[in-house]
Amino acid sequence: MQRYAIIGHPVSHSDSPRLHHAAFAAANLDCRYEPIDIDPTELREGIASLKASGIAGFNVTIPHKEAILPLLDRVDDTVRAVGAANTVVHRDGILTGHNTDIHGFRALIAPFETAVNGGAVGVLGAGGASRAVLHVLTTSFTARRIVVLNRTTERAEQIAAAFSSPGVPVVPESLFQDDLQGLVGDLDVIINTTSVGMKPYTDASPLEDVKFRKNQIVVDLIYTPAETVLLRGAREAGATVAGGLEMFLQQAAESFRLWTGKELDMRKVWEGMGG
Ligand code: NAP
């Protein structure tokens, strides 16, 4: 039996163990997939012990997607460009990092291509998921401008500098500022990549007192719950909304392909297990 896992802190919110169990069963593979909570202060020891255990591969979630890079033996070109990894393959004693969040986000944002191209796009958050989102937005789309809003302004500044180009300028802003309503009101597309509103803190929103408009698009990467407080407020204001399930399923399909070489319809697997 081959072993797989997801590492994070916390990790209990993740539906990846349920989904990958069902996926391995659907593909007739004798594999196990377990959640492993690793404190950020113990990441180095945690990765060394996973490697020694002979694990076949693992997913990486909050907050380790960037910190794990120096602990891997190799990273692919996409990880180098994004600066974050969410999938690790362990083969012949080598840990190789990949980023399948970009596949997931491409699928999630595809229906809104017209609004993103030429539009003003706001990205909330500056962590690992934000890096995958900015990579896709700046390489596959032509937004007029992108604003990164983050709690820690220095991280917004770093990520904006890493992804900004003359063609698509990326501007850093603080999530805590006097005219948040004015700034968000000017955006055509708003994408939440922070963990604010995720289970178990489902009453929270990264844009607590902000009002949305009818012709805005609001996307939340969070998929637990299916509708966050942020999305509910936007939907009630008449905005178009999308939660993170499509991204979750497509990033999982790509991780599964990297580990097993098999293509699987994760939407079908998800629906088969009752969602
Ligand atoms: P991360 O690297 O830990 O980044 C977390 C981000 O959230 C940072 O920008 C952080 O701001 C911000 N944040 C955390 N707590 C906050 C608070 N109380 N107020 C304001 N901002 C706060 O995590 P990640 O890997 O990017 O993941 C972020 C979220 O995306 C998670 O909810 C994850 O489940 C979701 N996600 C979903 C999918 C999917 O497949 N649907 C894929 C990837 C990620 P600071 O910089 O100030 O700390």
Side-chain angles (χ1 to χ4, degrees):
M1 171 186 288
Q2 294 211 295
R3 282 180 50 235
Y4 294 88
I6 178 165
I7 65 161
H9 183 76
V11 75
S12 54
H13 68 277
S14 175
D15 274 329
S16 291
R18 281 198 318 127
L19 179 63
H20 280 289
H21 265 299
F24 287 131
N28 281 319
L29 293 170
D30 185 20
C31 300
R32 229 175 63 207
Y33 184 110
E34 56 183 318
I36 300 178
D37 196 308
I38 301 182
D39 190 275
T41 58
E42 288 160 11
L43 187 59
R44 177 176 291 278
E45 296 77 8
I47 299 302
S49 119
L50 276 176
K51 194 174 178 181
S53 76
I55 196 150
F58 54 94
N59 282 129
V60 184
T61 188
I62 45 172
H64 301 318
K65 288 180 182 179
E66 295 163 83
I68 196 170
L69 297 195
L71 306 176
L72 299 174
D73 301 308
R74 285 187 198 148
V75 295
D76 71 9
D77 289 347
T78 308
V79 170
R80 222 165 279 125
V82 172
N86 77 320
T87 302
V88 175
V89 177
H90 187 197
R91 215 163 271 153
D92 304 326
I94 305 280
L95 293 179
T96 305
H98 303 266
N99 192 306
T100 72
D101 280 340
I102 64 162
H103 298 263
F105 182 66
R106 272 203 194 103
L108 178 60
I109 202 68
F112 309 116
E113 182 178 356
T114 315
V116 173
N117 287 336
V121 179
V123 176
L124 315 179
S130 175
R131 287 185 161 271
V133 164
L134 285 166
H135 175 76
V136 172
L137 290 176
T138 54
T139 54
S140 304
F141 294 87
T142 50
R144 188 170 77 249
R145 68 188 169 94
I146 298 174
V147 184
V148 179
L149 296 112
N150 199 46
R151 173 179 63 179
T152 311
T153 322
E154 299 77 49
R155 287 188 88 194
E157 286 164 358
Q158 282 162 10
I159 207 169
F163 288 93
S164 195
S165 70
V168 183
V170 183
V171 180
E173 288 283 354
S174 167
L175 250 186
F176 302 115
Q177 58 175 278
D178 294 341
D179 192 24
L180 193 58
Q181 177 67 62
L183 202 160
V184 175
D186 282 343
L187 299 170
D188 303 300
V189 181
I190 297 137
I191 302 163
N192 177 38
T193 78
T194 75
S195 44
V196 183
M198 186 177 78
K199 252 184 189 172
Y201 306 108
T202 52
D203 288 342
S205 165
L207 295 177
E208 219 134 63
D209 299 317
V210 169
K211 304 270 179 290
F212 297 97
R213 304 182 265 108
K214 248 200 343 265
N215 46 357
Q216 285 180 314
I217 292 165
V218 182
V219 175
D220 201 328
L221 265 51
I222 293 172
Y223 64 92
T224 52
E227 184 177 73
T228 55
V229 168
L230 174 77
L231 287 191
R232 189 169 70 228
R235 178 176 55 76
E236 286 172 356
T240 302
V241 300
L245 181 62
E246 183 63 16
M247 176 167 176
F248 172 63
L249 296 176
Q250 298 315 323
Q251 62 78 29
E254 182 60 14
S255 296
F256 191 82
R257 197 187 63 75
L258 286 166
W259 291 329
T260 68
K262 292 182 190 298
E263 310 268 349
L264 207 58
D265 183 342
M266 283 293 179
R267 166 77 54 183
K268 217 162 131 192
V269 173
W270 178 257
E271 284 167 2
M273 55 189 250

